[in-house]
Amino acid sequence: MRIYESQLHEELAEKLIAMSVDWEGENSTYGYRRNDRSDLEGNRVFLAERDGEILGYLLGHEETAKRASSIMPDGTPYFEIEELYVVPGHRSEGIGRGLFCTAEQMARASGLCFLMLSTATKNYKRILHFYLEELSMEFWSARLFKRISDPEETNASV
């Protein structure tokens, strides 16, 4: 397995977009939609590859905190992970961990203070176990919802 940072180029963009189409088809994340080229631009790209086949990717970019929060003051540099995806047949092989750790090493070497990410996964127990227990991230906040009616029906009656 080779895990590394890559420059975005046309062939890679096409492969990542195709993978995001597959991810969208899984329907495993609330609101996830396939990427287009503009979603990839401006992000650093980390790849997990075996025998020339991409088995996972991580997209992210550097940010600076603009609103003080309970965990970081204004001006704190951090790395925002936008997407971390592993092909379904290769999950639980350490690929996601490898991608995360590679991004973490880059962030540390760049003098960044935090790694941040949000998730809208439908399998919250599995993903929280992965991030909190396997990768030693800390829990900061959660936004929960309870559907009490169908928005389409509510909008149609207004």
Side-chain angles (χ1 to χ4, degrees), residues 81-106:
I81 298 173
E82 293 292 338
E83 294 187 4
L84 173 55
Y85 179 73
V86 176
V87 174
H90 295 279
R91 293 180 183 155
S92 299
E93 293 179 13
I95 295 169
R97 177 192 319 272
L99 287 163
F100 184 93
C101 290
T102 301
E104 181 179 7
Q105 289 169 353
M106 172 282 306

PDB file of all heavy atoms in Angstrom, residues 81-106:
ATOM      1  N   ILE A  81     -10.343  18.777   7.080  1.00  0.00           N
ATOM      2  CA  ILE A  81     -10.534  17.599   6.233  1.00  0.00           C
ATOM      3  C   ILE A  81     -11.939  17.684   5.648  1.00  0.00           C
ATOM      4  O   ILE A  81     -12.925  17.674   6.383  1.00  0.00           O
ATOM      5  CB  ILE A  81     -10.340  16.293   7.026  1.00  0.00           C
ATOM      6  CG1 ILE A  81      -8.907  16.211   7.551  1.00  0.00           C
ATOM      7  CG2 ILE A  81     -10.687  15.075   6.156  1.00  0.00           C
ATOM      8  CD1 ILE A  81      -8.647  15.055   8.494  1.00  0.00           C
ATOM      9  N   GLU A  82     -12.007  17.786   4.344  1.00  0.00           N
ATOM     10  CA  GLU A  82     -13.291  17.883   3.655  1.00  0.00           C
ATOM     11  C   GLU A  82     -13.895  16.502   3.392  1.00  0.00           C
ATOM     12  O   GLU A  82     -15.096  16.312   3.552  1.00  0.00           O
ATOM     13  CB  GLU A  82     -13.139  18.637   2.327  1.00  0.00           C
ATOM     14  CG  GLU A  82     -12.784  20.102   2.486  1.00  0.00           C
ATOM     15  CD  GLU A  82     -13.895  20.932   3.106  1.00  0.00           C
ATOM     16  OE1 GLU A  82     -15.074  20.520   3.048  1.00  0.00           O
ATOM     17  OE2 GLU A  82     -13.583  22.002   3.652  1.00  0.00           O
ATOM     18  N   GLU A  83     -13.059  15.581   2.942  1.00  0.00           N
ATOM     19  CA  GLU A  83     -13.547  14.235   2.624  1.00  0.00           C
ATOM     20  C   GLU A  83     -12.472  13.209   2.936  1.00  0.00           C
ATOM     21  O   GLU A  83     -11.301  13.434   2.672  1.00  0.00           O
ATOM     22  CB  GLU A  83     -13.911  14.107   1.137  1.00  0.00           C
ATOM     23  CG  GLU A  83     -15.072  14.940   0.709  1.00  0.00           C
ATOM     24  CD  GLU A  83     -15.514  14.665  -0.727  1.00  0.00           C
ATOM     25  OE1 GLU A  83     -14.963  13.762  -1.390  1.00  0.00           O
ATOM     26  OE2 GLU A  83     -16.426  15.378  -1.168  1.00  0.00           O
ATOM     27  N   LEU A  84     -12.908  12.095   3.474  1.00  0.00           N
ATOM     28  CA  LEU A  84     -12.060  10.922   3.673  1.00  0.00           C
ATOM     29  C   LEU A  84     -12.899   9.743   3.205  1.00  0.00           C
ATOM     30  O   LEU A  84     -13.928   9.428   3.804  1.00  0.00           O
ATOM     31  CB  LEU A  84     -11.661  10.765   5.140  1.00  0.00           C
ATOM     32  CG  LEU A  84     -10.907   9.487   5.522  1.00  0.00           C
ATOM     33  CD1 LEU A  84      -9.658   9.294   4.679  1.00  0.00           C
ATOM     34  CD2 LEU A  84     -10.541   9.516   6.989  1.00  0.00           C
ATOM     35  N   TYR A  85     -12.485   9.134   2.109  1.00  0.00           N
ATOM     36  CA  TYR A  85     -13.276   8.065   1.500  1.00  0.00           C
ATOM     37  C   TYR A  85     -12.394   6.851   1.218  1.00  0.00           C
ATOM     38  O   TYR A  85     -11.279   6.986   0.713  1.00  0.00           O
ATOM     39  CB  TYR A  85     -13.898   8.546   0.192  1.00  0.00           C
ATOM     40  CG  TYR A  85     -14.715   7.489  -0.512  1.00  0.00           C
ATOM     41  CD1 TYR A  85     -15.955   7.107  -0.024  1.00  0.00           C
ATOM     42  CD2 TYR A  85     -14.237   6.860  -1.658  1.00  0.00           C
ATOM     43  CE1 TYR A  85     -16.705   6.125  -0.661  1.00  0.00           C
ATOM     44  CE2 TYR A  85     -14.991   5.878  -2.303  1.00  0.00           C
ATOM     45  CZ  TYR A  85     -16.218   5.518  -1.798  1.00  0.00           C
ATOM     46  OH  TYR A  85     -16.963   4.549  -2.424  1.00  0.00           O
ATOM     47  N   VAL A  86     -12.928   5.687   1.538  1.00  0.00           N
ATOM     48  CA  VAL A  86     -12.274   4.415   1.228  1.00  0.00           C
ATOM     49  C   VAL A  86     -13.284   3.557   0.477  1.00  0.00           C
ATOM     50  O   VAL A  86     -14.450   3.462   0.865  1.00  0.00           O
ATOM     51  CB  VAL A  86     -11.785   3.700   2.509  1.00  0.00           C
ATOM     52  CG1 VAL A  86     -11.198   2.333   2.179  1.00  0.00           C
ATOM     53  CG2 VAL A  86     -10.769   4.559   3.242  1.00  0.00           C
ATOM     54  N   VAL A  87     -12.837   2.934  -0.597  1.00  0.00           N
ATOM     55  CA  VAL A  87     -13.671   2.050  -1.413  1.00  0.00           C
ATOM     56  C   VAL A  87     -14.272   0.964  -0.513  1.00  0.00           C
ATOM     57  O   VAL A  87     -13.557   0.367   0.304  1.00  0.00           O
ATOM     58  CB  VAL A  87     -12.817   1.433  -2.540  1.00  0.00           C
ATOM     59  CG1 VAL A  87     -13.593   0.396  -3.328  1.00  0.00           C
ATOM     60  CG2 VAL A  87     -12.273   2.524  -3.448  1.00  0.00           C
ATOM     61  N   PRO A  88     -15.579   0.699  -0.631  1.00  0.00           N
ATOM     62  CA  PRO A  88     -16.251  -0.237   0.284  1.00  0.00           C
ATOM     63  C   PRO A  88     -15.560  -1.586   0.474  1.00  0.00           C
ATOM     64  O   PRO A  88     -15.452  -2.066   1.593  1.00  0.00           O
ATOM     65  CB  PRO A  88     -17.639  -0.412  -0.336  1.00  0.00           C
ATOM     66  CG  PRO A  88     -17.870   0.859  -1.071  1.00  0.00           C
ATOM     67  CD  PRO A  88     -16.524   1.288  -1.586  1.00  0.00           C
ATOM     68  N   GLY A  89     -15.077  -2.201  -0.556  1.00  0.00           N
ATOM     69  CA  GLY A  89     -14.458  -3.518  -0.427  1.00  0.00           C
ATOM     70  C   GLY A  89     -13.130  -3.510   0.302  1.00  0.00           C
ATOM     71  O   GLY A  89     -12.568  -4.573   0.581  1.00  0.00           O
ATOM     72  N   HIS A  90     -12.626  -2.324   0.639  1.00  0.00           N
ATOM     73  CA  HIS A  90     -11.317  -2.225   1.284  1.00  0.00           C
ATOM     74  C   HIS A  90     -11.365  -1.498   2.622  1.00  0.00           C
ATOM     75  O   HIS A  90     -10.337  -1.103   3.154  1.00  0.00           O
ATOM     76  CB  HIS A  90     -10.325  -1.543   0.340  1.00  0.00           C
ATOM     77  CG  HIS A  90     -10.063  -2.352  -0.882  1.00  0.00           C
ATOM     78  ND1 HIS A  90      -9.186  -3.416  -0.901  1.00  0.00           N
ATOM     79  CD2 HIS A  90     -10.599  -2.280  -2.126  1.00  0.00           C
ATOM     80  CE1 HIS A  90      -9.181  -3.955  -2.104  1.00  0.00           C
ATOM     81  NE2 HIS A  90     -10.027  -3.288  -2.868  1.00  0.00           N
ATOM     82  N   ARG A  91     -12.550  -1.329   3.156  1.00  0.00           N
ATOM     83  CA  ARG A  91     -12.672  -0.703   4.473  1.00  0.00           C
ATOM     84  C   ARG A  91     -12.202  -1.693   5.535  1.00  0.00           C
ATOM     85  O   ARG A  91     -12.200  -2.903   5.305  1.00  0.00           O
ATOM     86  CB  ARG A  91     -14.117  -0.261   4.703  1.00  0.00           C
ATOM     87  CG  ARG A  91     -14.463   0.869   3.740  1.00  0.00           C
ATOM     88  CD  ARG A  91     -15.855   1.381   3.868  1.00  0.00           C
ATOM     89  NE  ARG A  91     -16.064   2.409   2.841  1.00  0.00           N
ATOM     90  CZ  ARG A  91     -17.230   2.735   2.354  1.00  0.00           C
ATOM     91  NH1 ARG A  91     -18.323   2.149   2.801  1.00  0.00           N
ATOM     92  NH2 ARG A  91     -17.324   3.660   1.428  1.00  0.00           N
ATOM     93  N   SER A  92     -11.784  -1.208   6.647  1.00  0.00           N
ATOM     94  CA  SER A  92     -11.248  -2.011   7.753  1.00  0.00           C
ATOM     95  C   SER A  92      -9.904  -2.652   7.413  1.00  0.00           C
ATOM     96  O   SER A  92      -9.522  -3.655   8.009  1.00  0.00           O
ATOM     97  CB  SER A  92     -12.251  -3.088   8.198  1.00  0.00           C
ATOM     98  OG  SER A  92     -13.435  -2.470   8.654  1.00  0.00           O
ATOM     99  N   GLU A  93      -9.186  -2.062   6.456  1.00  0.00           N
ATOM    100  CA  GLU A  93      -7.833  -2.528   6.130  1.00  0.00           C
ATOM    101  C   GLU A  93      -6.777  -1.528   6.586  1.00  0.00           C
ATOM    102  O   GLU A  93      -5.603  -1.682   6.268  1.00  0.00           O
ATOM    103  CB  GLU A  93      -7.692  -2.745   4.614  1.00  0.00           C
ATOM    104  CG  GLU A  93      -8.533  -3.871   4.069  1.00  0.00           C
ATOM    105  CD  GLU A  93      -8.392  -4.037   2.560  1.00  0.00           C
ATOM    106  OE1 GLU A  93      -7.467  -3.445   1.943  1.00  0.00           O
ATOM    107  OE2 GLU A  93      -9.221  -4.762   1.985  1.00  0.00           O
ATOM    108  N   GLY A  94      -7.197  -0.473   7.301  1.00  0.00           N
ATOM    109  CA  GLY A  94      -6.242   0.531   7.763  1.00  0.00           C
ATOM    110  C   GLY A  94      -5.984   1.647   6.773  1.00  0.00           C
ATOM    111  O   GLY A  94      -5.117   2.492   6.997  1.00  0.00           O
ATOM    112  N   ILE A  95      -6.728   1.674   5.680  1.00  0.00           N
ATOM    113  CA  ILE A  95      -6.512   2.684   4.644  1.00  0.00           C
ATOM    114  C   ILE A  95      -6.915   4.070   5.143  1.00  0.00           C
ATOM    115  O   ILE A  95      -6.167   5.044   4.974  1.00  0.00           O
ATOM    116  CB  ILE A  95      -7.270   2.307   3.352  1.00  0.00           C
ATOM    117  CG1 ILE A  95      -6.674   1.013   2.785  1.00  0.00           C
ATOM    118  CG2 ILE A  95      -7.226   3.445   2.335  1.00  0.00           C
ATOM    119  CD1 ILE A  95      -7.488   0.381   1.673  1.00  0.00           C
ATOM    120  N   GLY A  96      -8.070   4.180   5.762  1.00  0.00           N
ATOM    121  CA  GLY A  96      -8.512   5.470   6.288  1.00  0.00           C
ATOM    122  C   GLY A  96      -7.555   5.990   7.346  1.00  0.00           C
ATOM    123  O   GLY A  96      -7.212   7.175   7.366  1.00  0.00           O
ATOM    124  N   ARG A  97      -7.104   5.118   8.208  1.00  0.00           N
ATOM    125  CA  ARG A  97      -6.134   5.491   9.241  1.00  0.00           C
ATOM    126  C   ARG A  97      -4.843   5.992   8.583  1.00  0.00           C
ATOM    127  O   ARG A  97      -4.269   6.998   8.989  1.00  0.00           O
ATOM    128  CB  ARG A  97      -5.826   4.312  10.147  1.00  0.00           C
ATOM    129  CG  ARG A  97      -4.766   4.624  11.206  1.00  0.00           C
ATOM    130  CD  ARG A  97      -4.233   3.384  11.919  1.00  0.00           C
ATOM    131  NE  ARG A  97      -5.260   2.404  12.234  1.00  0.00           N
ATOM    132  CZ  ARG A  97      -5.985   2.405  13.355  1.00  0.00           C
ATOM    133  NH1 ARG A  97      -5.787   3.320  14.261  1.00  0.00           N
ATOM    134  NH2 ARG A  97      -6.886   1.475  13.562  1.00  0.00           N
ATOM    135  N   GLY A  98      -4.394   5.290   7.562  1.00  0.00           N
ATOM    136  CA  GLY A  98      -3.173   5.693   6.871  1.00  0.00           C
ATOM    137  C   GLY A  98      -3.301   7.060   6.222  1.00  0.00           C
ATOM    138  O   GLY A  98      -2.386   7.885   6.291  1.00  0.00           O
ATOM    139  N   LEU A  99      -4.433   7.308   5.578  1.00  0.00           N
ATOM    140  CA  LEU A  99      -4.663   8.616   4.968  1.00  0.00           C
ATOM    141  C   LEU A  99      -4.687   9.716   6.032  1.00  0.00           C
ATOM    142  O   LEU A  99      -4.065  10.767   5.869  1.00  0.00           O
ATOM    143  CB  LEU A  99      -5.980   8.605   4.186  1.00  0.00           C
ATOM    144  CG  LEU A  99      -5.964   7.823   2.880  1.00  0.00           C
ATOM    145  CD1 LEU A  99      -7.387   7.527   2.419  1.00  0.00           C
ATOM    146  CD2 LEU A  99      -5.182   8.586   1.824  1.00  0.00           C
ATOM    147  N   PHE A 100      -5.411   9.468   7.104  1.00  0.00           N
ATOM    148  CA  PHE A 100      -5.509  10.444   8.188  1.00  0.00           C
ATOM    149  C   PHE A 100      -4.132  10.737   8.777  1.00  0.00           C
ATOM    150  O   PHE A 100      -3.758  11.901   8.967  1.00  0.00           O
ATOM    151  CB  PHE A 100      -6.462   9.920   9.265  1.00  0.00           C
ATOM    152  CG  PHE A 100      -6.715  10.892  10.372  1.00  0.00           C
ATOM    153  CD1 PHE A 100      -7.796  11.762  10.323  1.00  0.00           C
ATOM    154  CD2 PHE A 100      -5.889  10.939  11.481  1.00  0.00           C
ATOM    155  CE1 PHE A 100      -8.046  12.656  11.355  1.00  0.00           C
ATOM    156  CE2 PHE A 100      -6.123  11.829  12.518  1.00  0.00           C
ATOM    157  CZ  PHE A 100      -7.201  12.694  12.450  1.00  0.00           C
ATOM    158  N   CYS A 101      -3.368   9.700   9.071  1.00  0.00           N
ATOM    159  CA  CYS A 101      -2.052   9.881   9.692  1.00  0.00           C
ATOM    160  C   CYS A 101      -1.090  10.609   8.752  1.00  0.00           C
ATOM    161  O   CYS A 101      -0.265  11.409   9.206  1.00  0.00           O
ATOM    162  CB  CYS A 101      -1.477   8.539  10.132  1.00  0.00           C
ATOM    163  SG  CYS A 101      -2.382   7.834  11.537  1.00  0.00           S
ATOM    164  N   THR A 102      -1.186  10.361   7.470  1.00  0.00           N
ATOM    165  CA  THR A 102      -0.348  11.065   6.502  1.00  0.00           C
ATOM    166  C   THR A 102      -0.698  12.546   6.476  1.00  0.00           C
ATOM    167  O   THR A 102       0.193  13.407   6.470  1.00  0.00           O
ATOM    168  CB  THR A 102      -0.489  10.436   5.105  1.00  0.00           C
ATOM    169  OG1 THR A 102      -0.099   9.057   5.186  1.00  0.00           O
ATOM    170  CG2 THR A 102       0.381  11.147   4.078  1.00  0.00           C
ATOM    171  N   ALA A 103      -1.983  12.868   6.486  1.00  0.00           N
ATOM    172  CA  ALA A 103      -2.403  14.269   6.541  1.00  0.00           C
ATOM    173  C   ALA A 103      -1.979  14.901   7.861  1.00  0.00           C
ATOM    174  O   ALA A 103      -1.543  16.063   7.899  1.00  0.00           O
ATOM    175  CB  ALA A 103      -3.917  14.377   6.345  1.00  0.00           C
ATOM    176  N   GLU A 104      -2.070  14.147   8.942  1.00  0.00           N
ATOM    177  CA  GLU A 104      -1.659  14.658  10.251  1.00  0.00           C
ATOM    178  C   GLU A 104      -0.161  14.981  10.271  1.00  0.00           C
ATOM    179  O   GLU A 104       0.251  16.028  10.787  1.00  0.00           O
ATOM    180  CB  GLU A 104      -1.989  13.644  11.343  1.00  0.00           C
ATOM    181  CG  GLU A 104      -1.619  14.092  12.735  1.00  0.00           C
ATOM    182  CD  GLU A 104      -1.985  13.073  13.806  1.00  0.00           C
ATOM    183  OE1 GLU A 104      -2.418  11.952  13.473  1.00  0.00           O
ATOM    184  OE2 GLU A 104      -1.823  13.417  14.993  1.00  0.00           O
ATOM    185  N   GLN A 105       0.651  14.113   9.703  1.00  0.00           N
ATOM    186  CA  GLN A 105       2.097  14.365   9.641  1.00  0.00           C
ATOM    187  C   GLN A 105       2.391  15.625   8.838  1.00  0.00           C
ATOM    188  O   GLN A 105       3.233  16.441   9.230  1.00  0.00           O
ATOM    189  CB  GLN A 105       2.818  13.166   9.020  1.00  0.00           C
ATOM    190  CG  GLN A 105       2.851  11.960   9.916  1.00  0.00           C
ATOM    191  CD  GLN A 105       3.336  10.706   9.196  1.00  0.00           C
ATOM    192  OE1 GLN A 105       3.538  10.700   7.984  1.00  0.00           O
ATOM    193  NE2 GLN A 105       3.512   9.635   9.954  1.00  0.00           N
ATOM    194  N   MET A 106       1.694  15.808   7.723  1.00  0.00           N
ATOM    195  CA  MET A 106       1.873  17.010   6.916  1.00  0.00           C
ATOM    196  C   MET A 106       1.486  18.243   7.720  1.00  0.00           C
ATOM    197  O   MET A 106       2.194  19.247   7.733  1.00  0.00           O
ATOM    198  CB  MET A 106       1.020  16.918   5.644  1.00  0.00           C
ATOM    199  CG  MET A 106       0.957  18.186   4.800  1.00  0.00           C
ATOM    200  SD  MET A 106      -0.139  19.535   5.377  1.00  0.00           S
ATOM    201  CE  MET A 106      -1.708  18.701   5.548  1.00  0.00           C
TER     202      MET A 106
END
